[in-house]
Amino acid sequence: MKTIFGFSISRKSLIIDYIMIIVGIFMYAFGFCAFILPHKIVMGGLSGVGTLVYFATNETIPVAVTQYVLNLVLLAFAFRIVGKTFVVRTIFGATVVSLSIGVGEAFFMGLGHPILPDMSLSAILGAIICGLGVGTVLIHNGSTGGTDIVASMVSKVSNVSIGRSMVVCDIIIVSSSIFLPFDGSFGERLEARIPLIVYGYVVTFVASYCADMIVVGNRQAVQFIIFSRQWQIIADAINNDAKRGVTVLDGEGWYSKKPIKILMVWCRKIEAPGIMRLVKSIDDDAFITQGAVNGVFGKGFDMYKVKIKSKKQQTFKIPDNSRQTQ
């Protein structure tokens, strides 16, 4: 019964997640194609790289083509590092986002003019819509690829965080727009390109901020305390399906004077809705508390980085037990 019931709920949740991922990707593609691309603003991510190639080739190679090809190349390198699940999920997201951008690019660039002539308003509105779309994708466990792949690979093989890697990649991509073809002197090039670079930084920052607001801090941690008679089934499901550890504590209900098992779980905030749905699908009467945690450090979470002194700087005082009073 558990397997059948669990399968039914998992399939329903999976369908909802994929629908919302598609909705989020459509929002991202609309914001990018309708408001950012027509003004020749280069934003971060592979959409920015695609924009660079698009205008560098005199609008010959579409953004969607460059974006999709680069996603496949990055995934080929990342397969052994980030794992099969991440790759499969990202291929789906990358395919949908490339198709969406391809259709949007053909339509909005075919108009011959931006739908909002004011560049500032267009950049801010486009960034907000893109950020809301990315946030929607993230909270439903989706991925559109891009610099996420690079950042994930870097974080797997070094101590550099995903956020820092993405910021560095985006800065390089946006700054590269200074090298786009331009007829005129170097001074004229700077005068024309620097405002667009600034707009690119603004778009990237606003989109990232809006995505974080949707996710409510996707790197924050959540602590669950779960009381349920079906604690064993719930613990197994969290281990196997949510891929999170569970600590089982012994407790006693003071009113009933009966022993009870308490489950304690820590997870990323982005994973919290999935775990909540998982628990309620098994035991709708489960008593659950959910609280924000300022930081969780250890395997599967953040690494607590401290500066280790060299051996010459370390001093250890060994107590002299011989002087202790008997």
Side-chain angles (χ1 to χ4, degrees):
M1 182 179 296
K2 170 185 175 293
T3 304
I4 298 176
F5 184 69
F7 175 76
S8 176
I9 294 297
S10 298
R11 183 173 60 182
K12 180 181 177 181
S13 300
L14 190 65
I15 292 173
I16 293 174
D17 283 341
Y18 272 95
I19 290 174
M20 293 308 299
I21 288 171
I22 293 173
V23 170
I25 288 174
F26 284 169
M27 291 175 60
Y28 175 82
F30 174 71
F32 173 73
C33 296
F35 301 105
I36 297 173
L37 186 63
H39 285 286
K40 299 184 178 181
I41 298 173
V42 178
M43 62 183 297
L46 288 191
S47 298
V49 177
T51 304
L52 290 172
V53 175
Y54 180 65
F55 290 116
T57 59
N58 196 24
E59 303 182 8
T60 302
I61 301 178
V63 176
V65 173
T66 302
Q67 187 178 25
Y68 194 62
V69 170
L70 290 178
N71 266 319
L72 293 181
V73 172
L74 289 174
L75 285 172
F77 284 105
F79 182 80
R80 292 186 177 181
I81 299 176
V82 299
K84 180 180 178 181
T85 302
F86 178 86
V87 170
V88 171
R89 189 177 70 243
T90 304
I91 287 177
F92 172 79
T95 301
V96 177
V97 76
S98 293
L99 290 174
S100 303
I101 288 179
V103 174
E105 177 186 340
F107 178 78
F108 289 106
M109 294 302 289
L111 296 177
H113 59 85
I115 59 176
L116 280 180
D118 186 86
M119 184 179 293
S120 299
L121 181 61
S122 187
I124 296 298
L125 183 58
I128 292 173
I129 296 175
C130 286
L132 295 179
V134 171
T136 302
V137 172
L138 290 176
I139 63 175
H140 290 279
N141 300 318
S143 173
T144 58
T147 50
D148 293 356
I149 305 173
V150 178
S152 296
M153 287 192 295
V154 171
S155 67
K156 291 284 186 179
V157 299
S158 70
N159 289 326
V160 180
S161 67
I162 290 179
R164 184 178 299 177
S165 301
M166 293 180 68
V167 167
V168 172
C169 289
D170 290 340
I171 288 176
I172 293 174
I173 292 169
V174 174
S175 301
S176 298
S177 61
I178 193 72
F179 301 111
L180 286 174
F182 183 83
D183 294 331
S185 64
F186 181 72
E188 292 172 334
R189 174 191 289 269
L190 292 178
E191 185 178 355
R193 293 297 180 198
I194 286 181
L196 290 177
I197 292 176
V198 173
Y199 276 115
Y201 290 144
V202 171
V203 167
T204 303
F205 172 78
V206 173
S208 300
Y209 180 79
C210 291
D212 286 341
M213 290 300 98
I214 290 294
V215 175
V216 198
N218 62 339
R219 292 193 63 83
Q220 292 182 358
V222 171
Q223 175 181 280
F224 283 102
I225 297 178
I226 305 166
F227 300 82
S228 173
R229 297 181 184 276
Q230 303 185 53
W231 62 272
Q232 290 177 309
I233 300 175
I234 293 174
D236 288 338
I238 293 175
N239 275 163
N240 299 328
D241 298 337
K243 306 300 182 184
R244 278 300 177 187
V246 181
T247 300
V248 182
L249 306 176
D250 291 319
E252 180 180 350
W254 194 244
Y255 177 79
S256 64
K257 300 298 190 294
K258 293 181 179 179
I260 189 172
K261 295 293 185 180
I262 305 169
L263 304 182
M264 185 177 292
V265 181
W266 290 279
C267 68
R268 296 286 186 194
K269 198 147 194 173
I270 193 175
E271 300 168 324
I275 291 180
M276 181 69 77
R277 287 186 301 187
L278 187 63
V279 174
K280 299 301 286 185
S281 69
I282 296 172
D283 183 6
D284 195 47
D285 295 325
F287 186 83
I288 310 170
T289 67
Q290 175 181 338
V293 180
N294 289 333
V296 177
F297 303 97
K299 187 174 182 180
F301 291 92
D302 297 323
M303 297 302 295
Y304 187 71
K305 298 179 177 64
V306 294
K307 185 176 181 181
I308 306 298
K309 295 181 179 180
S310 64
K311 292 183 179 180
K312 293 182 179 180
Q313 293 176 319
Q314 292 178 348
T315 58
F316 300 95
K317 293 183 179 180
I318 303 176
D320 188 358
N321 295 330
S322 62
R323 297 183 178 180
Q324 292 181 355
T325 304
Q326 299 295 327

